[in-house]
Amino acid sequence: MHSDPVGQNGGVELTAKQRADWDRSGWLVARDAFTEAEFTAIDVASREVESWGDERGLAHFEQTRLGAVIARSEDFEPHHGFLRSLLRSSIITDTVDALFGEPGVLFKEKINYKHAGGGGFAPHQDVTAYPQISTCISVMIPLDPADTTNGCLWFTTRTPGTTIQNVRGAIPESWCSEQEWVPVEVSPGDIVFFDGLAPHRSDTNRSQRSRRAMYVTYNPRSGGDFRNAYYEDKRRRLAEASVGESGNVLISVNDDFLGQPVDASASGDITA
Ligand SMILES: O=C(O)CCC(=O)C(=O)O
């Protein structure tokens, strides 16, 4: 399906509160940023990417109590014209540029599906998974309503200006327990912007409802364009090891995903 480009009318007009949220906590939520028709086109495109499985781009799978399911698709920008234009739409890029204070460039893109039973993520800062860059902003586009029962994101109310000591990306409990964490419940149409240093985590999806979300990450253009280098490096690393020291399946350079490796001996097809 081919849809008209969406989100071409400029960036989010940030309120004073959103600016203050950004400065203090490193994240902000723009509610109802996409119209229903725009969101429907994004949803259709995301389902197309999911249906590819591992035929195009890069896909990751996990074992859940309901069987083996797709956990993440990434590197789909070269293969989907509508999403390529979404990733360059002004509602996203003008906002990111304003938050950087300079133009950004696409670093990577992914969809985390978190279907029923899908794994959560240990507390981490995204920038620690991206060795090519030192600063970034990620844009989360919810594809399903996300709440505390199906594994929404949780952020801290204050963000450190630097990376926190971590174990293969995961921030230790001693730091986390000192923080105030807030669940960020979102609906389709909303957009969450967050800094690469903003600590965040999410729970395993213990509901029967999927909690799909697209994440698009940008770095300041002055720092260089590393998208191809990132995916080359990531494919090489994941070919070397598919399970982390934690015993969980590796879908990142970091070992912060809590999903389980696919059990090849379990019966049933992978659901893409
Ligand atoms: O989708 C989630 O629940 C968390 C995603 C996340 O933190 C990540 O992919 O690094």
Side-chain angles (χ1 to χ4, degrees), residues 112-142:
N112 287 349
Y113 297 104
K114 200 179 274 190
H115 289 309
F121 288 77
H124 63 278
Q125 295 168 294
D126 280 355
V127 83
T128 63
Y130 307 149
Q132 297 81 6
I133 55 175
S134 57
T135 174
C136 64
I137 291 175
S138 291
V139 178
M140 194 272 257
I141 301 172

Side-chain angles (χ1 to χ4, degrees), residues 41-55:
I42 296 169
D43 185 46
V44 168
S46 303
R47 290 179 194 276
E48 284 170 0
V49 172
E50 181 172 2
S51 75
W52 297 342
D54 56 8
E55 284 165 18

Side-chain angles (χ1 to χ4, degrees), residues 25-105:
S25 51
W27 56 273
L28 68 87
V29 186
R31 300 281 176 196
D32 298 322
F34 291 113
T35 64
E36 206 174 315
E38 287 178 323
F39 171 70
T40 299
I42 296 169
D43 185 46
V44 168
S46 303
R47 290 179 194 276
E48 284 170 0
V49 172
E50 181 172 2
S51 75
W52 297 342
D54 56 8
E55 284 165 18
R56 271 175 264 183
L58 183 57
H60 310 271
F61 300 86
E62 65 177 312
Q63 189 71 39
T64 70
R65 60 186 155 78
L66 301 173
V69 294
I70 189 164
R72 171 181 289 180
S73 300
E74 56 184 322
D75 193 14
F76 48 79
E77 186 263 6
H79 308 290
H80 201 294
F82 171 79
L83 292 177
R84 189 176 316 124
S85 78
L86 174 69
L87 274 39
R88 287 169 179 75
S89 63
S90 58
I91 194 165
I92 295 177
T93 59
D94 285 7
T95 313
V96 167
D97 293 357
L99 294 170
F100 275 141
E102 63 167 293
V105 64

Side-chain angles (χ1 to χ4, degrees), residues 125 127-128 134 159-166 171 175 195-199:
Q125 295 168 294
V127 83
T128 63
S134 57
T159 195
T162 181
T163 52
I164 303 155
Q165 197 81 37
N166 61 77
I171 304 172
W175 188 89
D195 190 274
L197 289 172

Side-chain angles (χ1 to χ4, degrees), residues 94-206:
D94 285 7
T95 313
V96 167
D97 293 357
L99 294 170
F100 275 141
E102 63 167 293
V105 64
L106 180 66
F107 180 70
K108 65 167 287 175
E109 69 284 350
K110 66 191 176 197
I111 298 171
N112 287 349
Y113 297 104
K114 200 179 274 190
H115 289 309
F121 288 77
H124 63 278
Q125 295 168 294
D126 280 355
V127 83
T128 63
Y130 307 149
Q132 297 81 6
I133 55 175
S134 57
T135 174
C136 64
I137 291 175
S138 291
V139 178
M140 194 272 257
I141 301 172
L143 302 171
D144 292 304
D147 55 36
T148 53
T149 62
N150 68 350
C152 70
L153 290 180
W154 292 68
F155 285 98
T156 56
T157 53
R158 286 188 187 281
T159 195
T162 181
T163 52
I164 303 155
Q165 197 81 37
N166 61 77
V167 181
R168 299 182 300 279
I171 304 172
E173 174 59 22
S174 53
W175 188 89
C176 293
S177 59
E178 300 283 299
Q179 310 305 310
E180 188 184 346
W181 291 86
V182 289
V184 178
E185 299 193 325
V186 286
S187 301
D190 299 344
I191 308 180
V192 181
F193 295 84
F194 60 102
D195 190 274
L197 289 172
H200 58 286
R201 65 175 177 82
S202 70
D203 292 333
T204 289
N205 182 354
R206 302 194 192 286

